Amino acid sequence: MAKLLMLIGCMFGLLWLQAQSRGELLRNMDPIFTTALDSLEMGRPQAAISQLNVAGEKFKKDQNWLKYAGSLLVLGKVYFQTDQLDSSLFYLHEARRIASREGNERLAANTDEGIARIYLIKKQNTLAMQHYRKFASWCLRSGKPRAKVETCIQMAQIYTRKVEPDSVALYLHLGLSLAKSHDFPVLQYKLYQMLGLRFNNINRPDSALYHYHQSLELLEKHPAPEREILVYLRISHVFLDNENPQRARKYLRQAQKLLQTSTNPFPKATLLYYEGTTLLAEKKGAAAILVLEKALEAFKSLPKPQRHQAMQARCLKSLAEAQHMLGQNEKALASLKLAKALNLPIFQRYNEMQTELMEAAILSSQDAVAASDELLMENMVWAKKSENLNYLLELYQTLAANERKKKNYEQAIVYLDKVHALQQQLDPVSRASSLSNHEAQWEVAKKDKSIGHLHDLNQQKAQRLKQTQLRTALMAGGLLFLLLSSVWIYRRKRKQNIQLSLAKQAVEASLQEKELLLKEIHHRVKNNMQVISSLLNLQARGVQDPVALKVMREGRDRVRSMALIHQTLYQNNDFSTVETEDYFLKLAENLFHTYNIDQERVQLVAQIQPLKFNVDIMIALGLILNELISNTLKYAFPAEQKGEVRISLTRNAEQVELKVEDNGVGFPPNFAPNAARSIGFSLIHAFTQKLGGSLQINNAEKGAMASLIFPLHHNASPAA
């Protein structure tokens, strides 16, 4: 259920405050940063990038290194906002290196915070923690109380993700003490909510209610109706967790009264969710499903629904619980699968543990005991670390049921003893609600064990009766021989089957690992090429010679054409071949964008037969096509002349033809392609020879035409 809603709200609020703080720092450094940040806020990231590139070159030329680092920091922010995380990380690391070299701790700390956020999204927790600690160390030394409190909140959230309850409690109490002493009511409210969630999560409802009531007292001094609504909803949730839906409804009604004056759709959707969970606690499964489905649709219809994925996941989990209650187990498992997919990375372990414990219970009810046990054992360590007794109680109850189904009654009783011990630790309200279920399982386990014991006695009596009927030693010896032979054959067969099964699993695991490694290799190659392209961009800023600048940009385009192949490979399941149509179109569009060609002035016409080639062939074709299209865009349409570029790829029998045509000005009268000594034409001829093909470049009736024909069997694997 939604025990972590407040933490998610705090995380987005804290990230916004830190982004605002970093924005103020950069706006004060230079007016160009204000202009770039305004362009980003107005949804024009490309304009911001262009402004920052120009400013960065100027700062670098003037050796104003702090402002140059500031321009890189803003570039990292722009790329982060446009979801280009690798580029953002590159610029942020460069900004931090320069800021550290120049001794500006504040600028370096702000880059550390940005770098940590990216590593957190990438789930590289160790690196994220390293940079967050650097940022936190600066905040705690800076002497600014608000920054210290915000840092305590952020560190508590990080340790929540790492499931380290002691560290979470330390930072929350330290932050609350600082917020009280410096009178920060908004931060006090956040910390009270986080502490309430924490105490409710470790089965201390009295402490949770205390902190929620402190929130209400704070809101009396600083009214905020929507926050008050959320507090009432969380108080109702405490009573729901302790099996007291009647008291929960009391606070739901108070929230409904306040909601009448609110125009914000988020509290309304949240109220629907809590209404559904209350119906679920009242065992009204059908009614709960209707309300929870409405809540789910309400969260999806909110502006920027991706920000509310955590609540959507909780709606789906409660919906699965209601479906399981009504025996709709397949629907319940489908809902849990969707909930897992929506879990936010920052609290993924908590959310996965909740959904997987419920999934294990459903699988157990379907007699899928092995799959249920696997999920339970995976969550055993996390459940113990979380300090949540309800998680452990649910886990041991399901394990006991599984052992009973496996007729392992001794182990079932061991788990039921743990269930009984946990129930003694829980509050009286919770203990009373779960006592009947525990006692019922306990009695069933004892009865099943007694039945099993009687069954074993009957088998032994039957065996003795059979032995008394054996009249001769020969018959007894023959029967024993047959029995031993059967056992030996059975064990041998079973051992062989187990070995075959293990070998098959090892082969499948090895294959999956190799596919994963191959995908990672392509991904890293693409990333490295992207870094090379970015380095060429940075280097080009300091180049004054037009010829050298042109050569560097052409080199960058060639690197991008190869990087696009590796990007296509790791995004698809087929790691050996690349599909021509998608790759050629993306390559052409990138070149149009690079040369700033208006596609209303120069149109791209493509007739590409969908074929597949291996990586070596596609690199050669990509570089040839890159040079041909680049030359066309640079020389075929001077002085804003309109026209079109036509690309075609066709397969004829055992040959493939790649053709690039245009209706521009054509080649000069004395132009001889075979005698051209440029790098571009050298690459074209070299890769044509590698493909074993022939190349014709000449003027057409109007414009120019280049045709490459190469054999299909030459290191290629085409497929329609």
Side-chain angles (χ1 to χ4, degrees):
M1 300 178 76
K3 291 187 176 180
L4 300 172
L5 176 60
M6 181 57 198
L7 285 180
I8 292 173
C10 287
M11 171 55 82
F12 282 111
L14 180 58
L15 294 181
W16 181 85
L17 285 171
Q18 289 171 344
Q20 292 294 103
S21 175
R22 186 165 59 250
E24 291 175 4
L25 166 66
L26 295 170
R27 289 176 191 273
N28 293 332
M29 287 182 69
D30 195 274
I32 188 63
F33 298 154
T34 301
T35 305
L37 289 170
D38 290 342
S39 297
L40 179 61
E41 290 173 0
M42 290 187 290
R44 296 185 298 160
Q46 291 303 323
I49 291 172
S50 176
Q51 294 162 356
L52 291 166
N53 284 334
V54 173
E57 289 180 3
K58 179 179 179 300
F59 296 144
K60 189 175 181 181
K61 183 177 180 181
D62 297 341
Q63 293 188 352
N64 192 335
W65 298 115
L66 284 180
K67 288 190 176 182
Y68 179 59
S71 69
L72 295 177
L73 176 56
V74 182
L75 269 173
K77 177 181 175 64
V78 174
Y79 281 116
F80 179 81
Q81 292 293 333
T82 55
D83 294 328
Q84 300 180 55
L85 299 183
D86 291 329
S87 297
S88 176
L89 199 58
F90 172 79
Y91 286 112
L92 288 173
H93 274 298
E94 187 67 12
R96 192 193 187 287
R97 183 183 67 80
I98 296 172
S100 298
R101 186 187 69 194
E102 297 299 313
N104 192 313
E105 291 189 0
R106 184 180 182 187
L107 189 60
N110 276 277
T111 58
D112 276 318
E113 189 273 333
I115 292 168
R117 289 170 65 189
I118 295 175
Y119 281 134
L120 199 61
I121 293 171
K122 287 175 168 285
K123 300 182 182 178
Q124 297 180 18
N125 298 337
T126 302
L127 291 173
M129 180 60 77
Q130 289 175 3
H131 287 277
Y132 267 129
R133 281 174 176 160
K134 292 177 183 177
F135 173 71
S137 175
W138 174 80
C139 286
L140 295 174
R141 294 196 318 268
S142 68
K144 295 183 179 180
R146 178 175 290 275
K148 291 182 180 181
V149 177
E150 290 172 352
T151 301
C152 288
I153 292 174
Q154 190 167 11
M155 295 303 292
Q157 291 164 341
I158 294 170
Y159 281 114
T160 297
R161 182 184 183 188
K162 292 168 68 66
V163 194
E164 295 185 13
D166 294 337
S167 298
V168 173
L170 174 66
Y171 279 104
L172 288 179
H173 286 294
L174 176 60
L176 184 59
S177 175
L178 289 169
K180 284 181 177 179
S181 62
H182 293 90
D183 193 22
F184 296 140
V186 175
L187 296 178
Q188 284 184 60
Y189 168 80
K190 290 181 180 180
L191 288 158
Y192 279 134
Q193 295 300 292
M194 293 174 73
L195 283 164
L197 288 168
R198 166 175 160 70
F199 282 118
N200 192 39
N201 196 42
I202 60 174
N203 311 107
R204 291 174 59 184
D206 292 341
S207 297
L209 289 176
Y210 168 79
H211 287 93
Y212 286 141
H213 288 147
Q214 291 295 309
S215 297
L216 291 175
E217 290 182 9
L218 193 64
L219 290 172
E220 289 178 1
K221 301 175 184 177
H222 307 277
E226 291 179 359
R227 289 178 180 171
E228 192 173 352
I229 290 170
L230 293 178
V231 176
Y232 283 129
L233 292 177
R234 291 184 185 111
I235 292 175
S236 73
H237 183 251
V238 173
F239 287 106
L240 284 180
D241 275 354
N242 289 276
E243 304 294 335
N244 196 339
Q246 292 180 345
R247 293 291 301 276
R249 284 207 169 275
K250 171 187 173 183
Y251 289 97
L252 283 178
R253 285 192 292 270
Q254 289 179 302
Q256 285 173 334
K257 290 179 183 178
L258 289 171
L259 196 60
Q260 295 174 358
T261 59
S262 175
T263 58
N264 189 341
F266 176 75
K268 294 181 181 179
T270 308
L271 181 62
L272 278 174
Y273 166 74
Y274 280 105
E275 175 67 26
T277 55
T278 304
L279 289 169
L280 187 60
E282 293 172 341
K283 308 301 181 185
K284 298 177 181 178
I289 288 175
L290 293 175
V291 176
L292 288 168
E293 286 176 345
K294 289 181 182 179
L296 184 61
E297 291 303 318
F299 283 116
K300 288 180 180 178
S301 64
L302 291 174
K304 297 183 179 180
Q306 65 273 14
R307 292 188 177 180
H308 307 289
Q309 287 183 350
M311 283 305 300
Q312 293 178 42
R314 283 158 181 75
C315 285
L316 286 165
K317 179 185 174 295
S318 297
L319 186 62
E321 194 173 346
Q323 290 165 339
H324 177 50
M325 182 185 294
L326 297 178
Q328 302 172 6
N329 290 330
E330 294 301 326
K331 290 184 178 180
L333 290 173
S335 298
L336 288 173
K337 185 177 180 180
L338 290 174
K340 281 186 182 181
L342 286 171
N343 280 333
L344 289 177
I346 189 163
F347 298 118
Q348 189 174 20
R349 183 62 255 176
Y350 271 108
N351 296 342
E352 282 184 356
M353 184 160 53
Q354 290 177 315
T355 53
E356 287 179 359
L357 287 177
M358 184 175 176
E359 184 179 357
I362 295 173
L363 290 171
S364 177
S365 68
Q366 294 180 320
D367 293 330
V369 176
S372 176
D373 279 343
E374 184 179 355
L375 281 174
L376 293 170
M377 291 305 174
E378 287 176 358
N379 285 281
M380 177 76 77
V381 174
W382 291 101
K384 290 179 178 178
K385 284 184 68 177
S386 71
E387 297 185 351
N388 189 309
L389 300 183
N390 283 326
Y391 290 169
L392 284 171
L393 182 64
E394 185 178 352
L395 187 145
Y396 285 130
Q397 284 176 333
T398 308
L399 280 173
N402 289 347
E403 295 299 331
R404 184 166 56 83
K405 289 180 179 181
K406 291 187 293 186
K407 297 185 179 180
N408 191 355
Y409 305 113
E410 294 288 347
Q411 189 61 38
I413 290 176
V414 170
Y415 286 132
L416 287 173
D417 282 334
K418 293 183 178 181
V419 169
H420 183 70
L422 284 171
Q423 287 175 336
Q424 295 297 323
Q425 296 179 53
L426 291 171
D427 294 337
V429 175
S430 180
R431 186 169 67 251
S433 65
S434 59
L435 183 60
S436 57
N437 289 334
H438 166 67
E439 293 297 330
Q441 290 189 9
W442 181 272
E443 293 300 328
V444 169
K446 284 186 175 180
K447 288 180 180 179
D448 286 344
K449 182 180 178 181
S450 177
I451 292 171
H453 182 64
L454 291 173
H455 181 68
D456 291 341
L457 289 176
N458 289 335
Q459 283 187 335
Q460 292 173 8
K461 289 179 181 179
Q463 186 68 21
R464 285 196 298 269
L465 181 60
K466 188 175 182 179
Q467 289 175 354
T468 58
Q469 295 173 353
L470 298 177
R471 302 288 183 180
T472 63
L474 182 61
M475 292 178 62
L479 184 60
L480 182 60
F481 175 77
L482 289 175
L483 181 61
L484 292 174
S485 299
S486 299
V487 169
W488 181 81
I489 293 171
Y490 169 74
R491 288 185 175 178
R492 184 179 179 185
K493 274 286 186 186
R494 183 181 178 187
K495 184 177 180 180
Q496 289 175 347
N497 290 338
I498 291 173
Q499 290 175 343
L500 287 173
S501 176
L502 291 174
K504 182 180 177 182
Q505 291 176 7
V507 170
E508 291 176 350
S510 177
L511 181 60
Q512 290 177 357
E513 182 182 3
K514 286 179 172 59
E515 289 179 351
L516 218 84
L517 288 172
L518 189 57
K519 188 171 185 178
E520 178 66 17
I521 288 170
H522 286 301
H523 191 185
R524 292 191 180 187
V525 170
K526 188 272 294 184
N527 287 347
N528 289 338
M529 288 186 172
Q530 194 171 29
V531 170
I532 293 171
S533 177
S534 298
L535 288 173
L536 288 173
N537 270 337
L538 285 173
Q539 189 67 36
R541 295 178 184 175
V543 175
Q544 303 298 327
D545 185 359
V547 175
L549 185 60
K550 175 185 173 184
V551 169
M552 292 187 74
R553 287 178 175 170
E554 288 175 350
R556 178 199 62 192
D557 293 340
R558 291 167 187 138
V559 170
R560 285 179 176 175
S561 72
M562 291 186 288
L564 187 58
I565 290 175
H566 291 281
Q567 179 179 345
T568 305
L569 283 169
Y570 86 76
Q571 288 177 343
N572 297 329
N573 292 326
D574 186 357
F575 302 119
S576 59
T577 60
V578 180
E579 202 274 321
T580 54
E581 184 177 17
D582 181 61
Y583 172 66
F584 284 178
L585 287 175
K586 285 182 179 178
L587 179 60
E589 289 172 358
N590 285 345
L591 289 171
F592 268 70
H593 177 73
T594 298
Y595 289 100
N596 200 21
I597 302 297
D598 184 358
Q599 293 199 25
E600 292 185 358
R601 179 173 71 84
V602 179
Q603 296 183 354
L604 175 65
V605 179
Q607 294 180 340
I608 302 170
Q609 186 174 350
L611 302 174
K612 287 187 176 181
F613 295 97
N614 63 30
V615 177
D616 291 338
I617 296 300
M618 285 306 293
I619 288 177
L621 288 175
L623 288 170
I624 291 172
L625 187 61
N626 180 81
E627 299 302 325
L628 293 175
I629 295 176
S630 296
N631 287 336
T632 300
L633 297 179
K634 286 190 289 186
Y635 305 117
F637 306 104
E640 301 298 319
Q641 178 180 334
K642 295 186 177 180
E644 65 179 25
V645 179
R646 296 182 295 278
I647 305 171
S648 64
L649 181 74
T650 55
R651 170 185 173 181
N652 298 313
E654 295 301 315
Q655 289 185 330
V656 177
E657 181 179 14
L658 172 64
K659 187 182 289 185
V660 179
E661 303 174 278
D662 66 74
N663 57 358
V665 298
F667 294 109
N670 298 325
F671 179 73
N674 293 329
R677 295 184 179 181
S678 68
I679 294 177
F681 275 101
S682 297
L683 285 173
I684 291 172
H685 291 305
F687 283 111
T688 299
Q689 186 176 2
K690 179 181 178 181
L691 292 172
S694 61
L695 179 69
Q696 291 185 358
I697 301 177
N698 50 48
N699 284 325
E701 182 177 348
K702 186 176 182 181
M705 182 272 292
S707 172
L708 168 66
I709 299 175
F710 61 94
L712 183 65
H713 63 273
H714 187 81
N715 296 327
S717 303

